Amino acid sequence: MSLAGVCQEKAGVKVALTGNEAIARGALEAGVAYAASYPGSPTAEVLGTLSRVAKQFNLYAEWSVNEKVAMEGVAAASFAGLRSLVVMKADGLNVALDFAGALAISGCRGGMVMVLGDDPNAHSSVREEDSRNLCKAKHLPVLEPSSVREAMEMTREAFALSEELELPVVVRCVTRVCHASGDVELGELVRPERKPDFTRENRVITFGIKLHAGQESKLARAAHLVCDSAFNSYTGPENPERLVIASGPCYMYAQEALEMLGAGGTTGILKLGTTWPLPEALLLEHMERVPEVIFAEEVEPFVEDNVMALAAGCLPGKVRFYGKRSGHVAGPAGPGIGELDPDVLAASLGNILGINYSPGTIDNKQEALSLLEDKMPDRELAFCAGCPHRASFWAVRAALELDGRGGIVLGDIGCYTLGMARTGYYLLQTVHCMGAGIGLAGGMGNLSRFGFDKPVVTLVGDSTFYHAAIPALINARYHNSNFMCIILDNETTAMTGHQPHPGRQHTAMGEPAHTVPMEDIIRGVGMPYIVQDPYDVEASIEVIYDLLRQEGPRVLILRRSCVLAAVRGKQKDRVYVNEDKCIGDSCGCGRFCSRVFACPANVWDAEKGRARIDEAVCNGCGVCASLCPQGAIMVERGV
Amino acid sequence: MERGCEFGMPGQEQLQKEVMDRDLCSSCGICVGLCPYIKTVRDRVKVIYPCGHEDGTCYMVCPKTPTNIGNMDRAVFGREREDQALGLFSGIYYARALTGKPGGAQYGGAASALTGLALREGLISSAVLTGGDIKSPRPVLARDADTVARCAGSKYTGVPSLLELNRAIRDGLTDIGVVGRPCQVVAVRKSQQGNLPGPQYPSSSGIGLVLGLFCFWSLAPELYGFLQLETGGEEIVKMDIPVEGPVAYTRAGKYSWQLEDIRTFIKKSCNTCFDSTSEYADISVGSTEHDPVWNTLIIRTGKGLDIFNLALQKGVIEIREYPPERLPLLRRAALGKKMRVLSLLEKDLGNTGYITLPEKYRRDLETQWGGINQ
Ligand SMILES: Cc1cc2nc3c(=O)[nH]c(=O)nc-3n(C[C@H](O)[C@H](O)[C@H](O)COP(=O)(O)OP(=O)(O)OC[C@H]3O[C@@H](n4cnc5c(N)ncnc54)[C@H](O)[C@@H]3O)c2cc1C
Ligand code: SF4
Ligand code: SF4
């Protein structure tokens, strides 16, 4: 977990890196010249790392406004012959898909790698997606690292493969690999001369059915090449009774599971590092020797379906398949849903092999969990202490209640997505994808012609605004849709670790930026807007209320820096409760701060029957003090 | 949430059901700021979050929750009324400010003059008033005579100015003066009688003086949109609603309408308001309905009489006899309103709703109305 490790000049040494750092290192070892991304978990740190070493390695790194733009920029560098890398989470591929599909037709020149971060179990995503099916649909080859070491090696080798095929290559990396940390043996760092070469002679056109045939032949060549790839390997007995085909971290899980079951002597594992196109010859060679095949992969039965299709053609009726389709390989949420782990896989394999697997570790797990429970404060998912979104959501809720017409609230993607839960007073009624809130609001706002009379409000973050909101805003202006767009501007891409966006003064590489203020955009679109500080809750309520009563598309910017960024390196204001003034549970308060407003630092001291501020958690915003009906919460300004 | 019953009365949920949801709230503001759950913008007063208590102060102090007229009389005056039209009082006059009449005074400026005097003499520490301009009125707590002068002039919408009373009490002020509409006067008196626990509630020492305005109804803020259209966007500096119908003055001139033109803007709550002359004020102040530079003044309580005498002695106001021939007109207006309210409530609900009228009052009311209507 070190930048020093990523930049280590000496080849052959072993350093501990995270999966994301390993990807960055792999790209450096391949001599990457151009890297771009839009921040998203689990892969946000790849570009974060590259941007920090950009000067040192004379490469260009940018946080792009969105994934499609990032991919286009990266492709341009590739067209000019440079090695280039684009990084995004699974959801980002959806945004970039239109271009990705076209690019797969035209192909590329300099090695171009797309790192896709899939998030099985949706640890830090709104949904679980398996991007491999989209890659297949777009004719893109896919590699899947099973470990941190492989993440580095695959990224590095993917550039060469891309040049060989003249096709971008996908490295599909799941959360457990991106966020794991492990020892990797470093390769040589290279610093090729960067000489972009693109002249009037170059043509990169995607037109005509002939190119489709070209794509198919590229993939056929890829299928041939990957049969010899070192990323595919077999471990196990010479004449196994059955074969597990595993990809990604499931390779490790499968090894562990077989060990736990004591079935390693009869069962072999074929690790698939190249999951699309399939190394058909290799697969057939292994499958011919066994009557049973079991699949271990996350999330969807991607390898499974494609291998079964292959077998149906080449080995009809010869092999029995176990996996998600047969229902045998499944986590607690069911086959094809959520992550696998060694326990789940051991239980599944035990079932198939007829070995009674009682997870001895489960008891320990329960025990460990119950031990942890005592130590861990019982906290639900909530906005951080002092988060400006809490103040904003409270003001919106109050204004809607005051307005009394049952206003509708549409959500978007960002920290404020949490506003669908208690921490946002359950305000959000829709959550879909980046920018969808504004498009939906436009639609709802057009329904008045059918008698729909509820005010429509949509909440969108600043980064999401730049990313995906603008066309919907233009559409709304053009059609005079009736809604109010509230931009929750915390002046950063907070959720993924405070990456800059076009509203900021600096670029990813720390260079001064030509800032694009959102006000200029809104003004340009021709919408009226107001800027308001959400920490001033009373004033915000009034502004929102008044705007609710207006017509047409209109914008309110609730602007206040993310509290985590704001307090960094500063002494926080001290906030405490004057116990003589606090009236606690009685009429006139009813534990407002801890029960309703519910900043995590507002706690209830049941013994004293008084509110308390958890000073270790409090970020000193003072919003609760401004809302306390008794003026019992005091703020001591820090110096 | 299970919580004990502190006062043995209904609370927020009932207030919402019985008053707010039925549009009976007159935006007096007394429930705003007692707790964090009832908020206001413009003339709106709403519950924004359930407080979790079954009972509560808000219900008790609201002028639109059950109110027994006989009990109110006894609590404020120590006896019951004979005059069903105007309630209890010791004198009625024409009056106007002699010194310190603010430029923007509605009529004779008596309300502002008396408030200013009480502040200067230290009889009150501060005064809850309604300031701002006609189009965006707002509650004000005045601590000096200048602020009082700036608040002169009637704003015809329901401004929840009593929220300032709650704030002032929370800030530790006592002897606070209030100038308010009749519903607001009722609210202040209810809260004084409440013996409410804790320093956060109005108590008898909290209130220094209550000046009540005459008021037959207030209007919804949508009125401004209408006026703005009618005056072509010119700024309205003053409004009045004499019997002939509403008038608005801009710097360029005067616009007038029929009462019918603005009837849709009358707040629904005002149609069920039983009190048009602030019957529980120390002194009530109204128009004369014919002479725009004079006020009608009704002296009601001992406290009211003291400040009235002081004002005369100091030459702050001058008075004239209330023309005896006009008294029946005023009484008929007040009685007529009560009869309309009762018949409306009885038609809608089959009973008198939030108004509890002792039997004797009811009989007297009918008799006096019958008498005056001949
Ligand atoms: C909504 C409303 C309706 C009214 N209807 C009638 C009526 O039908 N017949 C009648 O005779 N008189 C009515 N009045 C009273 C009248 O308009 C004058 O306010 C009153 O006569 C005092 O006059 P003044 O010259 O002494 O006022 P000023 O010296 O100008 O003082 C006016 C005072 O009224 C207060 N005030 C202004 N607007 C409001 C408001 N919306 N809510 C509470 N307080 C406010 C100000 O704080 C100020 O203290 C009404 C007043 C209001 C606010
Ligand atoms: S001041 Fe209050 S709202 Fe802000 S972080 Fe501290 S406890 Fe939370
Ligand atoms: S009338 Fe007054 S107390 Fe009653 S609900 Fe309305 S603002 Fe609250």
Side-chain angles (χ1 to χ4, degrees):
Chain A
M1 275 159 278
S2 71
L3 209 55
V6 174
C7 305
Q8 173 61 253
E9 293 287 344
K10 247 195 262 150
V13 298
K14 279 198 171 159
V15 298
L17 296 180
T18 64
N20 285 334
E21 287 169 343
I23 292 169
R25 171 75 189 196
L28 291 176
E29 289 182 5
V32 68
Y34 194 114
S37 176
Y38 180 82
S41 209
T43 41
E45 295 79 20
V46 177
L47 195 105
T49 304
L50 287 174
S51 68
R52 260 173 281 156
V53 303
K55 293 228 169 75
Q56 191 182 339
F57 286 88
N58 185 29
L59 60 89
Y60 175 79
E62 77 167 33
W63 286 121
S64 310
V65 71
N66 68 31
E67 292 86 351
K68 179 167 178 280
V69 173
M71 191 180 281
E72 288 155 354
V74 160
S78 164
F79 293 166
L82 302 181
R83 288 196 160 181
S84 62
L85 177 77
V86 64
V87 186
M88 64 196 66
K89 71 183 300 175
D91 311 63
L93 179 62
N94 301 323
V95 176
L97 202 60
D98 199 1
F99 182 71
L103 183 61
I105 297 173
S106 75
C108 63
R109 253 178 88 212
M112 174 169 166
V113 175
M114 301 180 182
V115 171
L116 298 184
D118 274 9
D119 190 15
N121 235 23
H123 291 287
S124 47
S125 311
V126 290
R127 59 170 168 256
E128 177 176 76
E129 276 191 45
D130 189 331
S131 51
R132 295 176 300 176
N133 281 311
L134 288 182
C135 295
K136 178 186 172 188
K138 296 296 166 193
H139 298 78
L140 291 169
V142 181
L143 308 182
E144 279 191 66
S146 63
S147 65
V148 173
R149 180 174 63 85
E150 243 182 6
M152 182 184 79
E153 294 168 358
M154 276 187 183
T155 308
R156 185 180 61 212
E157 300 311 318
F159 284 94
L161 182 62
S162 163
E163 276 161 12
E164 169 110 38
L165 295 169
E166 297 182 338
L167 200 60
V169 171
V170 170
V171 175
R172 184 237 192 190
C173 207
V174 296
T175 306
R176 296 289 176 190
V177 175
C178 291
H179 290 173
S181 121
D183 276 349
V184 299
E185 193 180 319
L186 301 179
E188 203 81 45
L189 280 173
V190 296
R191 290 180 169 79
E193 207 185 327
R194 326 258 186 225
K195 243 195 170 163
D197 165 31
F198 197 81
T199 68
R200 281 292 302 149
E201 305 306 311
N202 294 87
R203 289 168 73 76
V204 195
I205 305 289
T206 66
F207 188 83
I209 189 171
K210 259 209 290 201
L211 293 168
H212 186 184
Q215 280 185 286
E216 298 298 348
S217 72
K218 278 184 188 179
L219 277 184
R221 217 154 69 74
H224 184 69
L225 282 175
V226 293
C227 283
D228 298 325
S229 168
F231 297 129
N232 303 322
S233 61
Y234 174 79
T235 45
E238 207 163 312
N239 293 306
E241 290 172 21
R242 65 192 70 77
L243 184 69
V244 177
I245 299 179
S247 59
C250 293
Y251 170 58
M252 308 290 183
Y253 306 158
Q255 281 182 314
E256 230 178 285
L258 286 180
E259 203 170 298
M260 289 195 277
L261 295 171
T266 54
T267 310
I269 307 178
L270 179 63
K271 176 172 86 76
L272 265 201
T274 67
T275 47
W276 192 254
L278 291 177
E280 295 185 354
L282 180 79
L283 281 161
L284 288 172
E285 179 193 321
H286 280 278
M287 287 196 293
E288 263 162 5
R289 294 165 27 202
V290 289
E292 291 183 347
V293 165
I294 301 153
F295 296 99
E297 64 183 319
E298 289 167 337
V299 175
E300 314 256 357
F302 175 79
V303 171
E304 179 173 336
D305 284 352
N306 290 303
V307 168
M308 289 206 295
L310 174 72
C314 302
L315 306 165
K318 293 245 175 74
V319 189
R320 180 142 187 221
F321 293 103
Y322 298 94
K324 299 178 204 280
R325 293 290 173 207
S326 70
H328 285 87
V329 178
I337 300 163
E339 287 182 306
L340 299 180
D341 64 25
D343 267 334
V344 167
L345 215 47
S348 302
L349 284 169
N351 189 14
I352 298 165
L353 271 60
I355 301 175
N356 202 355
Y357 171 71
S358 74
T361 49
I362 287 281
D363 294 342
N364 302 347
K365 205 160 149 186
Q366 295 300 31
E367 200 176 307
L369 277 180
S370 67
L371 277 174
L372 273 176
E373 240 159 52
D374 293 344
K375 296 255 187 309
M376 284 197 308
D378 183 21
R379 285 218 174 102
E380 55 183 297
L381 221 51
F383 295 133
C384 302
C387 174
H389 294 334
R390 179 175 290 101
S392 297
F393 274 81
W394 183 251
V396 172
R397 161 150 191 149
L400 285 171
E401 294 295 331
L402 281 158
D403 176 77
R405 287 175 293 166
I408 305 288
V409 188
L410 310 177
D412 225 299
I413 307 294
C415 292
Y416 51 94
T417 306
L418 284 183
M420 66 187 168
R422 194 174 88 104
T423 195
Y425 317 109
Y426 303 107
L427 271 185
L428 299 188
Q429 296 172 259
T430 64
V431 171
H432 290 84
C433 65
M434 300 282 285
I438 305 198
L440 289 170
M444 290 251 182
N446 288 336
L447 297 183
S448 48
R449 69 191 63 227
F450 304 119
F452 189 74
D453 59 358
K454 294 178 182 60
V456 177
V457 180
T458 180
L459 303 181
V460 64
D462 44 343
S463 197
T464 306
F465 173 80
Y466 290 106
H467 177 288
I470 295 161
L473 217 57
I474 295 171
N475 193 58
R477 171 72 287 175
Y478 176 43
H479 296 101
N480 206 34
S481 309
N482 196 13
F483 70 89
M484 167 178 178
C485 170
I486 300 184
I487 305 177
L488 302 170
D489 181 9
N490 59 7
E491 307 190 299
T492 184
T493 314
M495 183 144 108
T496 45
H498 298 109
Q499 292 83 359
H501 59 53
R504 306 303 298 152
Q505 287 76 27
H506 290 93
T507 67
M509 285 156 66
E511 291 170 350
H514 195 113
T515 308
V516 184
M518 59 177 71
E519 285 94 324
D520 288 0
I521 296 173
I522 300 162
R523 217 179 295 125
V525 171
M527 281 203 197
Y529 70 90
I530 294 176
V531 184
Q532 168 67 37
D533 176 5
Y535 275 4
D536 186 345
V537 176
E538 296 284 327
S540 300
I541 293 174
E542 201 170 307
V543 169
I544 298 166
Y545 175 87
D546 285 345
L547 279 171
L548 279 171
R549 312 222 130 213
Q550 292 176 11
E551 301 270 307
R554 50 217 189 269
V555 176
L556 171 65
I557 302 171
L558 288 174
R559 176 171 294 148
R560 171 60 81 156
S561 284
C562 168
V563 71
L564 299 185
V567 300
R568 198 177 289 153
K570 296 209 189 88
Q571 198 191 335
K572 303 174 194 171
D573 291 351
R574 179 173 169 250
V575 182
Y576 62 95
V577 172
N578 177 342
E579 288 180 4
D580 295 334
K581 279 192 163 182
C582 174
I583 58 167
D585 211 7
S586 57
C587 173
C589 182
R591 294 193 277 124
F592 172 75
C593 61
S594 56
R595 182 181 68 98
V596 180
F597 185 61
C599 168
N602 290 127
V603 289
W604 176 243
D605 188 332
E607 238 158 69
K608 287 190 182 151
R610 291 288 177 267
R612 192 163 58 73
I613 304 292
D614 184 341
E615 291 192 29
V617 175
C618 172
N619 277 316
C621 71
V623 172
C624 61
S626 77
L627 295 176
C628 171
Q630 303 305 325
I633 305 181
M634 321 306 277
V635 181
E636 223 170 67
R637 295 274 160 228
V639 275
Chain B
M1 188 136 319
E2 277 301 310
R3 291 227 183 83
C5 203
E6 279 175 81
F7 319 125
M9 61 186 168
Q12 187 201 65
E13 204 184 325
Q14 283 306 107
L15 182 75
Q16 199 171 5
K17 264 200 211 130
E18 291 177 21
V19 180
M20 295 174 175
D21 290 353
R22 289 168 55 203
D23 263 348
L24 294 184
C25 166
S26 65
S27 313
C28 77
I30 193 93
C31 63
V32 180
L34 287 174
C35 72
Y37 307 103
I38 300 181
K39 294 271 173 206
T40 179
V41 211
R42 313 280 164 238
D43 77 324
R44 310 275 293 182
V45 175
K46 291 276 172 187
V47 170
I48 59 161
Y49 205 93
C51 70
H53 286 275
E54 266 170 27
D55 48 14
T57 317
C58 54
Y59 188 88
M60 170 183 261
V61 295
C62 172
K64 303 298 177 184
T65 57
T67 307
N68 184 312
I69 309 294
N71 292 350
M72 285 289 287
D73 280 353
R74 278 190 297 276
V76 178
F77 299 100
R79 59 195 174 88
E80 296 192 346
R81 67 178 66 187
E82 290 83 40
D83 185 350
Q84 296 300 331
L86 302 178
L88 288 140
F89 63 96
S90 62
I92 178 165
Y93 308 91
Y94 273 6
R96 66 174 172 187
L98 270 183
T99 56
K101 177 179 167 178
Q106 189 65 19
Y107 304 121
S112 298
L114 291 171
T115 311
L117 172 71
L119 255 181
R120 278 196 306 279
E121 294 294 320
L123 301 172
I124 54 176
S125 62
S126 52
V128 174
L129 302 176
T130 300
D133 57 53
I134 302 248
K135 265 184 66 187
S136 50
R138 61 190 168 81
V140 168
L141 185 74
R143 320 240 354 206
D144 54 61
D146 275 357
T147 313
V148 174
R150 273 201 301 278
C151 291
S154 300
K155 292 88 192 172
Y156 281 96
T157 49
V159 183
S161 49
L162 291 181
L163 68 92
E164 286 295 342
L165 176 64
N166 291 327
R167 203 193 313 257
I169 288 168
R170 195 182 80 187
D171 290 345
L173 291 180
T174 55
D175 300 306
I176 302 154
V178 176
V179 180
R181 308 183 299 280
C183 55
Q184 297 183 298
V185 173
V186 171
V188 171
R189 293 306 187 203
K190 276 186 158 185
S191 68
Q192 276 182 297
Q193 295 154 29
N195 288 325
L196 303 168
Q200 68 271 27
Y201 306 116
S203 64
S204 26
S205 72
I207 310 295
L209 178 70
V210 182
L211 296 183
L213 304 174
F214 289 14
C215 174
F216 282 79
W217 26 254
S218 65
L219 302 162
E222 283 71 24
L223 169 78
Y224 301 130
F226 167 79
L227 294 181
Q228 218 55 54
L229 279 180
E230 297 273 307
T231 61
E234 274 183 71
E235 190 197 348
I236 297 159
V237 289
K238 186 169 176 174
M239 250 200 95
D240 192 9
I241 311 191
V243 268
E244 310 85 67
V247 272
Y249 300 88
T250 65
R251 290 189 208 290
K254 176 177 161 183
Y255 294 81
S256 47
W257 299 270
Q258 300 294 307
L259 185 55
E260 282 319 306
D261 298 333
I262 60 159
R263 195 174 284 285
T264 52
F265 301 114
I266 295 179
K267 275 175 91 82
K268 196 177 158 209
S269 63
C270 298
N271 291 330
T272 57
C273 178
F274 207 56
D275 178 356
S276 45
T277 62
S278 286
E279 292 167 5
Y280 302 106
D282 293 313
I283 298 176
S284 306
V285 193
S287 73
T288 61
E289 295 290 8
H290 67 104
D291 188 339
V293 296
W294 288 82
N295 288 113
T296 297
L297 223 57
I298 303 181
I299 315 301
R300 296 188 181 275
T301 66
K303 201 183 238 175
L305 185 60
D306 290 347
I307 184 142
F308 172 67
N309 286 332
L310 185 68
L312 288 175
Q313 183 200 323
K314 297 253 172 191
V316 168
I317 58 169
E318 63 171 327
I319 56 169
R320 273 165 48 193
E321 183 199 4
Y322 192 86
E325 72 282 4
R326 293 203 67 89
L327 197 56
L329 298 178
L330 178 60
R331 295 191 64 245
R332 190 164 78 181
L335 281 174
K337 172 98 169 91
K338 290 185 197 226
M339 295 307 290
R340 279 200 304 279
V341 167
L342 288 180
S343 79
L344 185 75
L345 286 170
E346 280 165 350
K347 196 172 114 236
D348 280 1
L349 307 169
N351 58 42
T352 58
Y354 75 101
I355 297 161
T356 308
L357 207 53
E359 204 138 311
K360 175 172 181 308
Y361 279 36
R362 181 70 193 243
R363 278 199 309 274
D364 290 356
L365 183 62
E366 309 270 356
T367 329
Q368 292 176 13
W369 172 241
I372 209 145
N373 232 359
Q374 277 169 12

